[in-house]
Amino acid sequence: MKRVRGMQRRDVLKAATAGVLGLAGCATNGRGTPESARVLVVGGGYAGATAAKYLRLFSGHRLDVVLIEPDAAFMSCPLSNLVLGGNRTMADITVPYTGLVQAHGVRVVRDSVAHVDVVRRVAELASSARIHYDKLVLAPGVEMIWDGVAGLREASAAGRIVQAWKAGPETVLLRRQLEAMPDGGTFAIAIPEAPYRCPPAPYERACLVANYFKTAKPRSKVLVLDANEDVTSKGPLFKKAWAEAYPGIVEYRPQYKATGVDAVAGIVMFEVQDDERADVLNVLPPMRAGALAVQTGLANANARWCGVDFLTFESTAARHIHVLGDSIQIAPAMPKSGHMANSQAKVAAAAIVAELSGWEVNPAPMLTNTCYSFLDDRRAVHVASVHEYVSAERTFKTVPGSGGLSGAASELEGRYAWNWARTIWADVLS
Amino acid sequence: MRPLRRAWLCALAGLAPFGAAQAQDAPALRLRSLVATCAQCHGTDGRPAPDSIVPALAGLPEATLIERMSAFKDGTLSATVMTQLARGFSEAQIRQLATAFAAQAR
């Protein structure tokens, strides 16, 4: 596989030095998708990797699709709280990119994009190679707004207070901190004001850490310090779990907005309330669109999120750039979730193929979302929704009467959650 | 670079089992888009992961698909998630989906 990847990389570099491949590629004869058009996808998460695969599928494997991703493999944020809880390992939630290459002909380049020239339509890679694109798909995820919590940038860089809000090395580090914590200690998670990546994830994390403590460190506590007025997703289901499965372990406090940390003393400071001390701190600052989207001038909503035309997910700040996933300014009731990112990617891929082929873009795209949260190592709950494009308002809205929550947590839903994961990973990557 | 790339794509075509399902015009692309809204749980083109406890949709008879989706939609068939999702699709969309999945190879 290494050899293949190396060949692809040289291929991309060759194309880059040739300079103009794809420049004349947009011309269409009206009979199909042009073979010479290149779509560059930046970011190999749920949004970007899905876009890369479906651009190839929807174009009958005609479009030249290049995916730029610095990580060697896909690591899933959904289910990563089970790694923190000690129930699964990183290997269980890691999937290689080889399926995109071998089954779909996506050219995967292990690199990152340093700069985008939106006028010339050229992306400059960290390795200094330059790649021209006809269409650019940016799916850079979220970036932490470190200045939102004083001292947190340094504490995170030093590995003292990590976020583990992107599955990977920090997930493993936070797990080690929980393992090293003495019985009788406190784990505190501080949640920023919405919107942030994956609304129910902090509450699921509280459950799974509590589940670990319950058997391994029964005198320990989980303190949930939430900047929001109430639990932002699946509230009644999480509260029921805390009351019934984790009494005396989980303590939930709303309207606690973290403003600073002292990593050495293990202290979080708040806008209103007194400081809180904990043995393991997981302080999540406010979030915004991924750094590349911000640098490229696409974060035109409150200087935090990227406005998009929801029919195509094209940026409202720059032509020929489509922004997907957690970086976008969301439509009403649209969660920043992996399933939603996958749904958005398919709408964008179809719109890009239609546009490059000279076809009318689908005027009525649909999105689905199903998001499972584990309450312990076996039982899960879900929230589901269906979203339709409402042309009069140029946005997505949930279809009236659709969607909903679990009635109660169950082991059946826990099995469905793993089934969802295996199947969506294949839909994204295989 | 050009001939090389073509050769490489041709080699790929031999590996790819879904070439026939490519979108060849705007209506076909729209239908594939709609079908893709089911893929997260039922798999790309209705083929889920091996040993899935969620059913494959590819190759199911059209009438069966319409009957089940309609039953989820009106609540006569119970489920954890599907009753909630089925209510998000119109009868016309359910018919389109059923036709598309029925035409897929298992």
Side-chain angles (χ1 to χ4, degrees), chain B residues 30-52:
Chain B
R30 258 177 234 178
L31 184 57
R32 286 215 76 186
S33 269
L34 185 64
V35 164
T37 63
C38 310
Q40 296 93 343
C41 301
H42 292 278
T44 307
D45 294 329
R47 298 184 201 98
D51 306 319
S52 171

Side-chain angles (χ1 to χ4, degrees), chain A residues 79 82 204 207-208 234 237-238 241 246 370-383 405-420, chain B residues 80-81:
Chain A
L79 303 184
L82 287 168
E204 179 194 55
C207 288
L208 291 173
K234 303 171 183 160
L237 293 163
F238 283 120
Y246 308 116
T370 304
C371 165
Y372 289 97
S373 298
F374 277 88
L375 303 184
D376 55 41
D377 53 329
R378 302 169 82 86
R379 292 181 310 137
V381 292
H382 80 267
V383 59
L405 290 157
S406 305
S410 69
E411 291 194 11
L412 176 65
E413 292 222 45
R415 290 197 294 278
Y416 277 136
W418 272 102
N419 204 85
W420 168 86
Chain B
T80 53
V81 173

Side-chain angles (χ1 to χ4, degrees), chain B residues 3 17 23 28-29 34-35 37 41 44 46 48 53 55 58 62 65-68 72 82-84 93 95 104-106:
Chain B
L29 178 59
L34 185 64
V35 164
T37 63
C41 301
T44 307
I53 56 171
E62 193 174 337
L65 284 156
I66 292 174
E67 192 184 297
R68 282 198 204 155
F72 283 133
M82 269 317 294
T83 46
Q84 297 166 355
Q93 286 171 326
R95 280 196 302 275
Q104 287 287 337
R106 276 174 194 266

Side-chain angles (χ1 to χ4, degrees), chain A residues 14 17 23 28 60 104 116 125 142 149 152 167 173 177 186 197 240 244 310 317 321 353 358 363 390 394 396 399 421:
Chain A
K14 233 184 202 171
T17 46
L23 263 179
T28 167
H104 300 286
V116 177
L125 305 189
V142 291
V149 181
L152 188 58
L173 183 52
Q177 291 179 351
T186 298
R197 162 181 279 175
K240 187 170 156 64
E244 292 177 5
F310 283 110
I321 301 182
V353 168
V390 179
R394 304 190 61 169
F396 277 98
V399 178

Side-chain angles (χ1 to χ4, degrees), chain A residues 11 35 53-54 56 60-61 102 105 339 342-343 346 350 360 362 368 382 401 403-405 419 422-424 427, chain B residues 1 5-6 9 12 15 18 22 29-30 33 36-37 39-40 43-44 49-53 80 84 87-88 93:
Chain A
D11 200 17
E35 293 189 36
K53 169 175 162 177
Y54 275 82
R56 292 283 296 161
H61 305 95
Q102 292 171 349
H339 190 124
N342 167 290
S343 293
K346 292 164 177 173
E360 189 206 352
N362 182 2
T368 53
H382 80 267
L405 290 157
N419 204 85
R422 291 192 303 119
T423 300
I424 196 171
D427 188 44
Chain B
M1 141 98 204
R5 185 171 150 241
R6 273 182 195 286
L9 288 172
L12 269 166
L15 293 173
F18 35 71
Q22 75 186 49
L29 178 59
R30 258 177 234 178
S33 269
T37 63
Q40 296 93 343
T44 307
D51 306 319
S52 171
I53 56 171
T80 53
Q84 297 166 355
R87 290 198 299 268
Q93 286 171 326

Side-chain angles (χ1 to χ4, degrees), chain B residues 54-91:
Chain B
V54 167
L57 303 178
L60 284 186
E62 193 174 337
T64 307
L65 284 156
I66 292 174
E67 192 184 297
R68 282 198 204 155
M69 272 295 273
S70 305
F72 283 133
K73 197 172 154 78
D74 67 25
T76 48
L77 198 55
S78 67
T80 53
V81 173
M82 269 317 294
T83 46
Q84 297 166 355
L85 292 180
R87 290 198 299 268
F89 291 88
S90 68
E91 283 169 24

